[in-house]
Amino acid sequence: MKNIKIATGIALLVLGMTSCKDEKQEKAQKTVESYVIYVDSVKNVAATDLKDNWKSVEAEYDRRSQEAEAALADIKDNAAATEKVNASKIKYEEFKNEMTAQFAPPAPSPKQQLRDALFGAGKIGDDMSFNWVNAQNIHSVYQQFVHTVENNKDKYSREDWDEIKLMYEALDSRKNTVEKEGLSAEDNRKIAGLKIKFAPMYTVNRMGAKSEENKDAKK
């Protein structure tokens, strides 16, 4: 009788362990399926909606991906589950690259690229506002402008030189205002030196660019 009770106890223990294992595997399988479904569902969301919530999407993806990876260890024969996880990883990465390309801001126009080089990225837009230039930074603004032109003078087209002249005149106009707002005599002197350097450089190189364009036109 005692032996029967012991055998029954062992059988119940084994059955309980088996049941726990089955529940663990079932939960792991559901975690993997949930991950796969999430990747597929994200791909069906409109790009405009994804753009506004992309950080949340990525955070949720990372969480589900980590859970799915951990769940594979709890699946006895996990070859099929592993294949599903890997396929969804590839699918998501391809989709992520596609969305990243869509979400990227458009490349600035050649004119904007030139303005960014002369003054710094985003400093001068279509409104051509120079309000950010003041008595404290105007000398450095002229320095960057003139040195950038000097370093690239052989690359500019006639249209580039026309844009450079337009920006130069706008900066000069801002200087007239800044002079009344505490521009130091030392900075004023240094700016005058930069202006003397710029004037002949502009004249000679714009003429050269125009001459080159005329040659090309004749060809």
Side-chain angles (χ1 to χ4, degrees):
M1 189 68 158
K2 187 177 180 181
N3 289 339
I4 293 174
K5 287 182 178 179
I6 292 173
T8 302
I10 292 173
L12 289 172
L13 180 62
V14 171
L15 185 61
M17 290 175 65
T18 303
S19 177
C20 287
K21 284 183 179 179
D22 289 344
E23 286 180 11
K24 200 171 186 180
Q25 285 212 72
E26 186 178 343
K27 183 180 178 182
Q29 289 283 10
K30 286 181 178 179
T31 299
V32 169
E33 290 299 329
S34 177
Y35 166 71
V36 171
I37 291 170
Y38 179 76
V39 172
D40 290 338
S41 66
V42 166
K43 292 188 67 179
N44 293 324
V45 178
T48 50
D49 294 332
L50 284 175
K51 184 177 182 179
D52 295 334
N53 300 283
W54 187 246
K55 286 185 178 180
S56 298
V57 170
E58 285 204 292
E60 182 66 13
Y61 171 81
D62 289 341
R63 184 183 70 79
R64 289 175 181 264
S65 176
Q66 291 168 12
E67 288 179 353
E69 286 284 355
L72 290 175
D74 294 330
I75 301 174
K76 186 176 180 182
D77 299 316
N78 66 6
T82 301
E83 188 176 341
K84 282 184 178 181
V85 169
N86 290 339
S88 287
K89 275 185 181 179
I90 294 170
K91 192 184 293 185
Y92 178 80
E93 286 303 318
E94 290 175 349
F95 180 68
K96 178 182 176 181
N97 292 337
E98 181 185 334
M99 288 299 100
T100 302
Q102 281 193 39
F103 299 159
S109 65
K111 181 185 287 187
Q112 188 59 53
Q113 289 179 42
L114 178 58
R115 291 179 178 185
D116 288 348
L118 294 171
F119 297 106
K123 290 292 182 68
I124 300 295
D126 292 335
D127 60 357
M128 286 183 58
S129 173
F130 281 80
N131 289 338
W132 55 277
V133 179
N134 54 48
Q136 285 68 48
N137 66 16
I138 192 167
H139 172 235
S140 63
V141 173
Y142 267 99
Q143 264 189 322
Q144 178 172 337
F145 183 95
V146 174
H147 291 166
T148 299
V149 172
E150 184 178 27
N151 292 337
N152 297 278
K153 62 183 185 293
D154 296 328
K155 303 174 185 176
Y156 293 139
S157 66
R158 182 170 57 85
E159 287 78 7
D160 289 336
W161 283 110
D162 289 345
E163 178 67 16
I164 288 167
K165 183 66 181 302
L166 180 67
M167 292 295 103
Y168 179 75
E169 289 174 347
L171 179 58
D172 267 356
S173 178
R174 178 61 181 169
K175 178 178 176 290
N176 294 334
T177 301
V178 167
E179 281 182 315
K180 304 168 187 174
E181 298 175 348
L183 178 62
S184 69
E186 177 67 11
D187 279 349
N188 210 347
R189 183 184 64 77
K190 290 177 180 177
I191 289 171
L194 290 167
K195 288 167 67 68
I196 290 171
K197 187 175 188 179
F198 173 80
M201 182 167 56
Y202 165 79
T203 303
V204 171
N205 285 279
R206 188 191 181 282
M207 288 177 61
K210 185 175 182 180
S211 176
E212 287 297 319
E213 287 184 7
N214 289 337
K215 286 181 183 178
D216 292 339
K218 288 178 181 178
K219 290 179 183 178

